[in-house]
Amino acid sequence: MENREDLNSILPYLPLVIRSSSLYWPPRVVEALKAMSEGPSHSRVDSGEVLSQAISDMRRSLSFSTLEPSASHGYALLFDELIDEKESKRWFDEIIPALARLLLQFPSLLEVHFQNADNIVSGIKTGLRLLDSQQPGIVFLSQELIGALLACSFFCLFPDDNRGAKNLPVINFDHLFASLYESYSQSQESKIRCIMHYFERFCSCVPIGTVSFERKILPAEYHNSSTAAPDTDFWSKSDVSLCAFKVHSFGLIEDQPDNALEVDFANKYLGGGSLSRGCVQEEIRFMINPELIAGMLFLPRMDDNEAIEIVGAERFSCYTGYASSFRFAGEYIDKKAMDPFKRRRTRIVAIDALCAPKMRHFKDICLLREINKALCGFLNCSKSWQHQNIFRDEGDKEIQLARNDRDSGPLRTETTALHGTPVNDVEINREKPANNLIRDFYVEGVHCEDNEDDGVATGNWGCGVFGGDPELKATIQWLAASQTRRPFISYYTFGVEALQNLDQVTITILEPLFQFLLFLFSDFKTDILLRIGFLVSG
């Protein structure tokens, strides 16, 4: 056990110690968890105030730094004031003891995880480890182990002093509870209620599935025979046809019915403000699918040529609203089928957009960064788990696509009107490309069967506080999805007025992709945007 490279990489970020090839909690933590596991009659943990004190005591026994100053007040506010007495009593009589028992099993759960990690996919490392920047790889975690990791977060038992040096996001829940007290809002309370509901469901019936977390890399420079990430010359010369584009004026990405890859409008630190005050698209997704939070433990900040894909995270909560109007709306039963790895067929890709004034987004360097970021995110994970030779140099240094010879039939562009009825039905003749980009990989035992032809479900990526231009970002994602041979994009406009003509654009643009890209890297972008109907001249 001590010689495992994966374990040694993650051990500094765990609260456990290793001795004689076994993992252990320090004795004082075991004592505290055993007392809590037997209920408040033994532990005296019967209020939010006492709970926060017990958490602080365990952290001291681990020689960790003190909690966020207002966190203790946040625990007390939630459990002693905001939730009713009956619910509070249930938590201290049932849920807290169940979570303590789960944490007592945490060392053995991890040991079983590492024992099985080498047998999931032949030749592929899948054990829990630090998936550092520029280190592509995948981690498979059981939902039970994820529950234990999130229980560690709830009790703030992860070491945190060393995380900043590795560009890791926060993982303990003390900032979440501190924010509840420091600037109370119903949306912040609702975020915590989503997590509480997750724990209640978990304690009533431990889920038996698996979730995978993958760091995907788009090569940024020449390495031996590999070529660089696509440059402006490549994109302007690409002759791949545009994929189908479905416009949805209503609806949400997470409710898409097409089994598509779902885009997380991410912060470069996975999860963004999920465990603090944030409450927009990424943070909401992490609250209704709390297992996503586990990735924040071991996935450092994304670089410009990286994306993170998470497969199998179960949804537990319904909600209404957005940002300050966000509200927990009760239980959600996730009926997604499972793949051969026991992952739910929910694939979420985190891609972080540039944060810049709108006009800067039209600079070539920004356009290239954004389209390559989307390209990295939309790459088919089941075809590239080896993360090697995705790009290749064919002597003339022209980037080639070594894709299989499967022919694609005509694709259809659809847009939906306000009532969801198709209002146009345009065929795009999608011929086999001359310039190819993405190489298909088939790793024995890895092929996931169901994602061969999955599209992309997305929306106004980077168009909120990051200042992105909605029309431009829609175009960039369309191009990236087409280049990766995704069959369609389902675009959710979320009521943005600037996109009211988006369905007309899908009718107008029927030329090969290389012609369409010319305007992105020219000095006449605004004129062409006016001409195709994205902008309305004054």
Side-chain angles (χ1 to χ4, degrees), residues 158-353:
F158 287 113
D160 42 25
D161 291 342
N162 57 348
R163 295 182 64 80
K166 275 292 186 179
N167 295 312
L168 287 161
V170 297
I171 187 62
N172 290 318
F173 286 1
D174 53 333
H175 290 272
L176 186 67
F177 281 91
S179 298
L180 180 70
Y181 175 78
E182 292 170 355
S183 54
Y184 171 81
S185 65
Q186 285 184 276
S187 59
Q188 188 73 4
E189 179 183 344
S190 288
K191 285 174 63 179
I192 297 176
R193 284 187 176 274
C194 286
I195 293 175
M196 291 175 66
H197 179 68
Y198 162 75
F199 283 130
E200 291 165 3
R201 285 268 302 275
F202 184 98
C203 292
S204 66
C205 183
V206 177
I208 59 172
T210 302
V211 182
S212 67
F213 301 79
E214 181 183 13
R215 181 178 287 273
K216 300 162 68 173
I217 310 294
L218 195 62
E221 59 186 6
Y222 281 89
H223 294 286
N224 299 324
S225 61
S226 297
T227 66
D231 57 15
T232 54
D233 185 61
F234 167 80
W235 283 105
S236 65
K237 292 179 179 178
S238 174
D239 59 0
V240 176
S241 298
L242 291 171
C243 67
F245 197 104
K246 307 175 183 180
V247 181
H248 303 273
S249 299
F250 293 107
L252 300 168
I253 292 171
E254 61 267 24
D255 295 328
Q256 57 85 24
D258 297 318
N259 205 34
L261 179 69
E262 300 172 5
V263 178
D264 164 19
F265 307 159
N267 189 286
K268 61 184 176 181
Y269 289 92
L270 183 68
S274 297
L275 301 184
S276 56
R277 292 185 175 89
C279 198
V280 287
Q281 195 257 10
E282 179 172 40
E283 291 85 359
I284 290 172
R285 194 66 198 264
F286 274 58
M287 294 302 103
I288 64 174
N289 295 67
E291 292 163 335
L292 298 171
I293 296 170
M296 299 168 68
L297 171 65
F298 57 90
L299 285 160
R301 179 184 66 197
M302 286 182 279
D303 286 341
D304 286 347
N305 64 332
E306 297 180 324
I308 293 170
E309 185 167 330
I310 303 172
V311 182
E314 183 175 353
R315 180 175 171 183
F316 288 85
S317 296
C318 294
Y319 74 96
T320 60
Y322 190 80
S324 62
S325 65
F326 173 76
R327 299 292 182 270
F328 169 67
E331 181 172 68
Y332 180 91
I333 303 299
D334 195 331
K335 298 181 180 179
K336 287 282 185 74
M338 289 188 175
D339 70 11
F341 294 95
K342 294 186 178 179
R343 302 177 300 178
R344 275 183 168 73
R345 297 185 189 273
T346 297
R347 287 182 300 283
I348 299 169
V349 63
I351 51 174
D352 58 301

Side-chain angles (χ1 to χ4, degrees), residues 112 134 177 197 386 400 526:
V112 170
Q134 303 304 314
F177 281 91
H197 179 68
Q386 288 183 312
Q400 301 291 328
T526 302

Side-chain angles (χ1 to χ4, degrees), residues 344-388:
R344 275 183 168 73
R345 297 185 189 273
T346 297
R347 287 182 300 283
I348 299 169
V349 63
I351 51 174
D352 58 301
L354 285 174
C355 183
K358 281 191 175 181
M359 291 313 297
R360 186 185 162 202
H361 285 276
F362 286 88
K363 293 182 178 293
D364 286 1
I365 189 171
C366 295
L367 291 169
L368 190 61
R369 188 272 185 194
E370 297 294 75
I371 197 168
N372 285 334
K373 170 67 75 165
L375 177 72
C376 182
F378 299 165
L379 289 175
N380 190 324
C381 72
S382 75
K383 295 293 185 179
S384 58
W385 279 4
Q386 288 183 312
H387 292 281
Q388 56 188 4

Side-chain angles (χ1 to χ4, degrees), residues 410-431:
L411 297 177
R412 307 179 91 80
T413 297
E414 300 175 37
T415 61
T416 54
L418 299 184
H419 300 290
T421 305
V423 296
N424 69 54
D425 193 359
V426 183
E427 288 192 358
I428 296 178
N429 186 19
R430 189 165 187 171
E431 298 177 355

